[in-house]
Amino acid sequence: MKSYVAGLWAAAAMVIGVLAVHADPIAIPNGDFLSPDANSGFYARPDIAVWQKATTPGWWVYGDGAWDQTTGVFYNIDPTLIDPTLENTFIDNLVSAQAAFLFAQPEVELFQVIGAKFEVGNSYQLTFGMLSSTPATPFTGAVKLGTEFDAVLYYLDDLNNRVAVGTKTVVNSSSIANRTHLTEFVLDIPVVDVNDAWAEKNIGVQFISRSSDETNSGGVWDLGNVQLSFTAGAVPEPASLAILGVGALALLRRRRM
């Protein structure tokens, strides 16, 4: 009898786990980079809604205006539709009509804190697509092989400092240097524990160029398909508990008959 009951509850636990574990999306304001609209003129703009940029670093000698242009948004258009002599750079797997660009210079970044929090019992996943400019890219040149780019999920501590919870480092390679196709990457954050410093803190999202100096600077990163999701812990909903409880009682009653 004891082994029967133990098996019954083990099966119930497995069902609860299957029922409860699923990923749900978390909205990132302007995560699709559609604002502002860049579908005119040069099809690129240095201004970008919601996302914040780093302030001009002291080593930058070209002025605030030039620094502001190191990040922005662009419209995903096939240039050959404008001029047949141009090369096709249409990104074939970009979900949105626009993407973000970040120059491969030190300290170039985009970041924001969103309304959602790192909730205890949940795990988190940030997915994003990247490509790097190639030697044939007009105006910008190529991102040097080996140059790094970080995607970060962070929280703000009591002093308002950004503290990383997890980081995914992208290292530029020949496979990423593809002008028409984003390479997808994933940053996983394990289940949040009640004792974690980031528990119940608002989620921060950051993308930052890790070019260390002028020896590995140059070129542009394209960023798109940014999505954030969470998976709730295997905690059954009340309705699931009730159904399983009724089923367990029925099986026990049948066993006694």
Side-chain angles (χ1 to χ4, degrees), residues 4-253:
Y4 176 81
V5 174
L8 175 64
W9 284 111
M14 291 177 63
V15 172
I16 290 172
V18 171
L19 289 174
V21 177
H22 60 278
D24 291 295
I26 298 174
I28 300 176
N30 202 27
D32 52 13
F33 304 114
L34 284 175
S35 182
D37 185 4
N39 186 16
S40 62
F42 293 103
Y43 297 97
R45 299 179 59 153
D47 46 334
I48 180 169
V50 182
W51 294 91
Q52 295 179 265
K53 302 181 182 185
T55 56
T56 308
W59 55 265
W60 182 261
V61 298
Y62 306 105
D64 293 342
W67 177 257
D68 186 63
Q69 295 183 46
T70 59
T71 60
V73 298
F74 67 92
Y75 188 76
N76 186 31
I77 188 171
D78 181 352
T80 61
L81 298 178
I82 303 170
D83 184 345
T85 65
L86 297 176
E87 182 182 353
N88 178 20
T89 56
F90 181 81
I91 302 173
D92 59 15
N93 63 335
L94 181 64
V95 175
S96 172
Q98 295 190 171
F101 67 85
L102 298 90
F103 276 57
Q105 296 282 344
E107 302 181 57
V108 173
E109 63 179 312
L110 294 172
F111 62 95
Q112 64 166 297
V113 175
I114 66 176
K117 297 182 178 181
F118 290 106
E119 296 185 8
V120 173
N122 292 352
S123 59
Y124 295 83
Q125 185 176 78
L126 178 70
T127 61
F128 59 99
M130 297 286 302
L131 64 80
S132 61
S133 59
T134 69
T137 305
F139 309 115
T140 66
V143 177
K144 294 178 175 61
L145 298 181
T147 301
E148 296 183 350
F149 184 98
D150 282 351
V152 183
L153 288 180
Y154 68 91
Y155 73 98
L156 298 177
D157 65 14
D158 294 337
L159 299 177
N160 215 38
N161 296 313
R162 281 176 279 166
V163 182
V165 176
T167 301
K168 176 65 177 181
T169 298
V170 176
V171 180
N172 190 36
S173 65
S174 57
S175 61
I176 301 173
N178 184 327
R179 297 176 62 193
T180 61
H181 192 83
L182 298 171
T183 300
E184 302 292 338
F185 297 93
V186 178
L187 166 58
D188 286 309
I189 302 297
V191 174
V192 179
D193 184 79
V194 67
N195 296 314
D196 290 333
W198 50 91
E200 305 305 324
K201 297 289 183 70
N202 286 82
I203 300 171
V205 184
Q206 177 189 35
F207 297 99
I208 181 168
S209 169
R210 288 300 187 190
S211 301
S212 57
D213 54 44
E214 63 182 14
T215 61
N216 63 356
S217 296
V220 176
W221 297 99
D222 289 350
L223 169 68
N225 297 354
V226 177
Q227 295 183 325
L228 179 63
S229 63
F230 75 94
T231 300
V235 178
E237 298 177 355
S240 300
L241 277 177
I243 293 172
L244 288 167
V246 170
L249 288 173
L251 287 172
L252 287 172
R253 182 177 297 173

